[in-house]
Amino acid sequence: MKVFDDDGDVVLRPRPKKSPRHSKTLPKVSHLEPKTENQSKIIAAHRAGSNIVINGMAGTGKTFVALSLALQCVEKGHAEGVAIYRSAVPTRDMGFMPGTRQEKEALYEIPYRTIAEEIYQRADAYDLLKKDGVIEFSTTSYLRGLTIRNSVILVDGAQNCDFGELDTLITRVGEGSRIMIIGDFNQMDTKGSGFEMFMNITKNMKSFDHVEMTMDDVVRSDLVKEYLIAKAKFPPDLAREYINRRK
């Protein structure tokens, strides 16, 4: 039996005994108004308590919508935190990069800093969310032996994960957690992507909803949309010829 809160959202876990872990400094996330039909589908699937796979081109607001929903989930007490994971492309193994783990990961956190700044309208929002324990970030280099409980898990840039990474990620999901997988086949930085296989496997799971973002969902800017339309019209044979010249 599903349990709903006052807003009609499915509660995946009992309300924690402690107060919800929202930031002590930041205001609550305002109501998320979808800009496109497929953004509405993401919001509806989340409110229904589904795990979600979102595939689509750049500029469609995939990560913005997912992170906003995850933060709202924590504020309502439906989860204890947001866990963000991203593949460490192109190195795969971050041990080869100089610096501490935090210094290595900082580059991959830039998109979430930008989104948090936009949501809360202050530049230090992401740092405050981490300080208050609302957000935790890690690359897929540090997954073995983990069980992620009572969290909203965001796997971003899933097209750059090999199947082993995605397989490990989903088998880390503990009780009271839900997962959103976000990717774009058109932005692959690696030849060994396991995203398509993983997506096809989850299509056979009742707990997953799938949302495919299209050209109509591009909201970043008119220029981005114009460019993507022009790129889609570019002859594939000529594109392959240009790529082969670079090899």
Side-chain angles (χ1 to χ4, degrees):
M1 182 181 71
K2 290 185 177 180
V3 179
F4 298 85
D5 69 5
D6 295 337
D7 296 324
D9 293 358
V10 170
V11 180
L12 294 185
R13 57 186 295 274
R15 185 173 291 276
K17 295 179 181 178
K18 297 181 180 179
S19 299
R21 192 186 292 179
H22 56 75
S23 173
K24 302 176 181 66
T25 309
L26 297 171
K28 290 188 176 182
V29 181
S30 60
H31 174 70
L32 181 60
E33 193 66 37
K35 295 183 178 180
T36 70
E37 182 179 349
N38 282 320
Q39 286 191 4
S40 295
K41 290 180 180 179
I42 296 170
I43 295 169
H46 180 80
R47 294 190 68 188
S50 296
N51 300 295
I52 312 171
V53 176
I54 309 166
N55 177 51
M57 57 188 61
T60 53
K62 303 183 298 294
T63 306
F64 182 91
V65 172
L67 184 53
S68 297
L69 291 170
L71 289 169
Q72 287 180 345
C73 200
V74 176
E75 287 177 355
K76 292 178 179 181
H78 298 177
E80 294 178 356
V82 181
I84 304 174
Y85 289 92
R86 193 179 184 99
S87 183
V89 176
T91 61
R92 286 286 182 216
D93 186 352
M94 293 188 69
F96 290 109
M97 296 173 65
T100 65
R101 174 178 170 178
Q102 288 73 27
E103 290 169 340
K104 295 174 186 179
E105 291 178 343
L107 176 65
Y108 300 96
E109 295 182 89
I110 292 173
Y112 317 111
R113 290 184 181 279
T114 303
I115 291 171
E117 180 178 351
E118 185 173 349
I119 291 173
Y120 295 102
Q121 294 298 299
R122 54 185 293 173
D124 60 348
Y126 182 78
D127 291 325
L128 290 172
L129 289 166
K130 290 188 71 176
K131 180 181 178 181
D132 291 339
V134 176
I135 284 180
E136 293 183 3
F137 176 87
S138 182
T139 69
T140 53
S141 301
Y142 305 98
L143 284 173
R144 298 292 181 183
L146 291 179
T147 300
I148 310 166
R149 297 183 179 91
N150 302 324
S151 300
V152 181
I153 304 165
L154 303 187
V155 183
D156 199 17
Q159 74 279 355
N160 292 320
C161 293
D162 60 34
F163 182 76
E165 288 174 296
L166 292 170
D167 184 68
T168 301
L169 270 164
I170 197 168
T171 56
R172 303 301 97 193
V173 180
E175 291 298 323
S177 290
R178 68 172 80 178
I179 189 168
M180 288 190 269
I181 316 286
I182 307 158
D184 176 9
F185 287 135
N186 295 310
Q187 295 191 78
M188 289 186 188
D189 295 326
T190 177
K191 295 180 180 179
S193 174
F195 184 40
E196 184 174 10
M197 179 179 173
F198 180 85
M199 188 163 62
N200 287 328
I201 290 172
T202 55
K203 285 179 179 178
N204 294 316
M205 298 172 65
K206 293 181 180 179
S207 62
F208 270 90
D209 278 348
H210 295 75
V211 180
E212 191 77 25
M213 310 300 279
T214 69
M215 199 74 71
D216 292 334
D217 298 301
V218 176
V219 294
R220 181 165 292 156
S221 68
D222 291 338
L223 177 62
V224 170
K225 189 168 187 176
E226 182 186 12
Y227 169 73
L228 291 172
I229 291 171
K231 187 172 74 169
K233 294 178 180 178
F234 196 79
D237 291 343
L238 187 56
R240 282 192 291 271
E241 182 180 335
Y242 280 129
I243 293 170
N244 289 332
R245 285 179 190 174
R246 293 168 53 193
K247 294 181 179 179

